[in-house]
PDB file of all heavy atoms in Angstrom:
ATOM      1  N   MET B  28     136.881  69.574  63.200  1.00 47.00           N
ATOM      2  CA  MET B  28     136.453  68.761  64.332  1.00 47.00           C
ATOM      3  C   MET B  28     135.812  69.669  65.369  1.00 47.00           C
ATOM      4  O   MET B  28     136.317  70.726  65.696  1.00 47.00           O
ATOM      5  CB  MET B  28     137.661  68.013  64.916  1.00 47.00           C
ATOM      6  CG  MET B  28     137.294  67.128  66.084  1.00 47.00           C
ATOM      7  SD  MET B  28     138.674  66.109  66.661  1.00 47.00           S
ATOM      8  CE  MET B  28     138.478  64.733  65.581  1.00 47.00           C
ATOM      9  N   ASN B  29     134.697  69.257  65.904  1.00 54.00           N
ATOM     10  CA  ASN B  29     133.973  70.029  66.903  1.00 54.00           C
ATOM     11  C   ASN B  29     134.697  69.958  68.241  1.00 54.00           C
ATOM     12  O   ASN B  29     135.072  68.894  68.694  1.00 54.00           O
ATOM     13  CB  ASN B  29     132.553  69.461  67.027  1.00 54.00           C
ATOM     14  CG  ASN B  29     131.660  70.323  67.876  1.00 54.00           C
ATOM     15  OD1 ASN B  29     132.095  71.290  68.490  1.00 54.00           O
ATOM     16  ND2 ASN B  29     130.398  69.965  67.910  1.00 54.00           N
ATOM     17  N   ASN B  30     134.880  71.100  68.900  1.00 57.00           N
ATOM     18  CA  ASN B  30     135.613  71.137  70.162  1.00 57.00           C
ATOM     19  C   ASN B  30     134.700  71.199  71.377  1.00 57.00           C
ATOM     20  O   ASN B  30     135.163  71.495  72.471  1.00 57.00           O
ATOM     21  CB  ASN B  30     136.567  72.337  70.173  1.00 57.00           C
ATOM     22  CG  ASN B  30     137.729  72.134  69.233  1.00 57.00           C
ATOM     23  OD1 ASN B  30     138.099  71.004  68.949  1.00 57.00           O
ATOM     24  ND2 ASN B  30     138.290  73.203  68.749  1.00 57.00           N
ATOM     25  N   ASP B  31     133.417  70.959  71.211  1.00 73.00           N
ATOM     26  CA  ASP B  31     132.495  70.956  72.345  1.00 73.00           C
ATOM     27  C   ASP B  31     132.508  69.583  72.998  1.00 73.00           C
ATOM     28  O   ASP B  31     132.033  68.609  72.438  1.00 73.00           O
ATOM     29  CB  ASP B  31     131.084  71.298  71.895  1.00 73.00           C
ATOM     30  CG  ASP B  31     130.982  72.708  71.351  1.00 73.00           C
ATOM     31  OD1 ASP B  31     131.764  73.563  71.794  1.00 73.00           O
ATOM     32  OD2 ASP B  31     130.120  72.946  70.494  1.00 73.00           O
ATOM     33  N   LYS B  32     133.074  69.542  74.212  1.00 76.00           N
ATOM     34  CA  LYS B  32     133.200  68.260  74.913  1.00 76.00           C
ATOM     35  C   LYS B  32     131.875  67.921  75.588  1.00 76.00           C
ATOM     36  O   LYS B  32     131.269  68.753  76.240  1.00 76.00           O
ATOM     37  CB  LYS B  32     134.327  68.349  75.937  1.00 76.00           C
ATOM     38  CG  LYS B  32     134.586  67.042  76.654  1.00 76.00           C
ATOM     39  CD  LYS B  32     135.878  67.028  77.419  1.00 76.00           C
ATOM     40  CE  LYS B  32     135.934  68.034  78.512  1.00 76.00           C
ATOM     41  NZ  LYS B  32     137.075  67.875  79.393  1.00 76.00           N
ATOM     42  N   ILE B  33     131.444  66.698  75.410  1.00 84.00           N
ATOM     43  CA  ILE B  33     130.218  66.196  76.038  1.00 84.00           C
ATOM     44  C   ILE B  33     130.614  65.204  77.122  1.00 84.00           C
ATOM     45  O   ILE B  33     131.437  64.323  76.883  1.00 84.00           O
ATOM     46  CB  ILE B  33     129.330  65.485  74.996  1.00 84.00           C
ATOM     47  CG1 ILE B  33     128.929  66.446  73.895  1.00 84.00           C
ATOM     48  CG2 ILE B  33     128.112  64.858  75.659  1.00 84.00           C
ATOM     49  CD1 ILE B  33     128.265  65.775  72.715  1.00 84.00           C
ATOM     50  N   THR B  34     130.042  65.355  78.294  1.00 89.00           N
ATOM     51  CA  THR B  34     130.270  64.376  79.358  1.00 89.00           C
ATOM     52  C   THR B  34     128.925  63.936  79.930  1.00 89.00           C
ATOM     53  O   THR B  34     127.972  64.712  79.952  1.00 89.00           O
ATOM     54  CB  THR B  34     131.152  64.938  80.491  1.00 89.00           C
ATOM     55  OG1 THR B  34     130.553  66.125  81.013  1.00 89.00           O
ATOM     56  CG2 THR B  34     132.552  65.247  80.011  1.00 89.00           C
ATOM     57  N   LEU B  35     128.898  62.712  80.356  1.00 90.00           N
ATOM     58  CA  LEU B  35     127.705  62.147  80.979  1.00 90.00           C
ATOM     59  C   LEU B  35     127.940  61.963  82.463  1.00 90.00           C
ATOM     60  O   LEU B  35     129.034  61.572  82.871  1.00 90.00           O
ATOM     61  CB  LEU B  35     127.382  60.778  80.370  1.00 90.00           C
ATOM     62  CG  LEU B  35     127.055  60.718  78.892  1.00 90.00           C
ATOM     63  CD1 LEU B  35     126.912  59.276  78.442  1.00 90.00           C
ATOM     64  CD2 LEU B  35     125.790  61.486  78.596  1.00 90.00           C
ATOM     65  N   ASP B  36     126.922  62.207  83.248  1.00 95.00           N
ATOM     66  CA  ASP B  36     126.968  61.867  84.665  1.00 95.00           C
ATOM     67  C   ASP B  36     126.611  60.385  84.751  1.00 95.00           C
ATOM     68  O   ASP B  36     125.463  60.010  84.477  1.00 95.00           O
ATOM     69  CB  ASP B  36     125.964  62.712  85.439  1.00 95.00           C
ATOM     70  CG  ASP B  36     125.903  62.366  86.915  1.00 95.00           C
ATOM     71  OD1 ASP B  36     126.369  61.271  87.314  1.00 95.00           O
ATOM     72  OD2 ASP B  36     125.377  63.186  87.678  1.00 95.00           O
ATOM     73  N   PRO B  37     127.587  59.527  85.089  1.00 95.00           N
ATOM     74  CA  PRO B  37     127.317  58.082  85.067  1.00 95.00           C
ATOM     75  C   PRO B  37     126.127  57.651  85.928  1.00 95.00           C
ATOM     76  O   PRO B  37     125.320  56.824  85.498  1.00 95.00           O
ATOM     77  CB  PRO B  37     128.621  57.465  85.575  1.00 95.00           C
ATOM     78  CG  PRO B  37     129.664  58.462  85.198  1.00 95.00           C
ATOM     79  CD  PRO B  37     128.994  59.809  85.375  1.00 95.00           C
ATOM     80  N   ALA B  38     125.986  58.221  87.121  1.00 95.00           N
ATOM     81  CA  ALA B  38     124.883  57.831  88.004  1.00 95.00           C
ATOM     82  C   ALA B  38     123.532  58.274  87.429  1.00 95.00           C
ATOM     83  O   ALA B  38     122.557  57.514  87.447  1.00 95.00           O
ATOM     84  CB  ALA B  38     125.090  58.407  89.399  1.00 95.00           C
ATOM     85  N   ALA B  39     123.474  59.494  86.919  1.00 95.00           N
ATOM     86  CA  ALA B  39     122.229  59.994  86.342  1.00 95.00           C
ATOM     87  C   ALA B  39     121.862  59.212  85.080  1.00 95.00           C
ATOM     88  O   ALA B  39     120.689  58.897  84.850  1.00 95.00           O
ATOM     89  CB  ALA B  39     122.354  61.484  86.026  1.00 95.00           C
ATOM     90  N   PHE B  40     122.871  58.888  84.271  1.00 92.00           N
ATOM     91  CA  PHE B  40     122.632  58.099  83.060  1.00 92.00           C
ATOM     92  C   PHE B  40     122.079  56.720  83.428  1.00 92.00           C
ATOM     93  O   PHE B  40     121.089  56.259  82.855  1.00 92.00           O
ATOM     94  CB  PHE B  40     123.932  57.965  82.258  1.00 92.00           C
ATOM     95  CG  PHE B  40     123.794  57.110  81.028  1.00 92.00           C
ATOM     96  CD1 PHE B  40     123.163  57.595  79.897  1.00 92.00           C
ATOM     97  CD2 PHE B  40     124.306  55.822  81.003  1.00 92.00           C
ATOM     98  CE1 PHE B  40     123.033  56.810  78.756  1.00 92.00           C
ATOM     99  CE2 PHE B  40     124.186  55.031  79.871  1.00 92.00           C
ATOM    100  CZ  PHE B  40     123.546  55.529  78.747  1.00 92.00           C
ATOM    101  N   ALA B  41     122.707  56.080  84.399  1.00 94.00           N
ATOM    102  CA  ALA B  41     122.260  54.750  84.824  1.00 94.00           C
ATOM    103  C   ALA B  41     120.842  54.801  85.391  1.00 94.00           C
ATOM    104  O   ALA B  41     120.023  53.927  85.113  1.00 94.00           O
ATOM    105  CB  ALA B  41     123.231  54.165  85.842  1.00 94.00           C
ATOM    106  N   ALA B  42     120.549  55.839  86.169  1.00 94.00           N
ATOM    107  CA  ALA B  42     119.202  55.980  86.732  1.00 94.00           C
ATOM    108  C   ALA B  42     118.165  56.162  85.625  1.00 94.00           C
ATOM    109  O   ALA B  42     117.061  55.603  85.695  1.00 94.00           O
ATOM    110  CB  ALA B  42     119.160  57.157  87.697  1.00 94.00           C
ATOM    111  N   ALA B  43     118.516  56.915  84.586  1.00 93.00           N
ATOM    112  CA  ALA B  43     117.595  57.108  83.458  1.00 93.00           C
ATOM    113  C   ALA B  43     117.350  55.797  82.724  1.00 93.00           C
ATOM    114  O   ALA B  43     116.222  55.504  82.316  1.00 93.00           O
ATOM    115  CB  ALA B  43     118.155  58.161  82.504  1.00 93.00           C
TER     116      ALA B  43
END
Side-chain angles (χ1 to χ4, degrees):
M28 181 174 273
N29 189 353
N30 289 334
D31 296 331
K32 183 167 62 170
I33 299 170
T34 57
L35 298 174
D36 177 342
F40 177 76

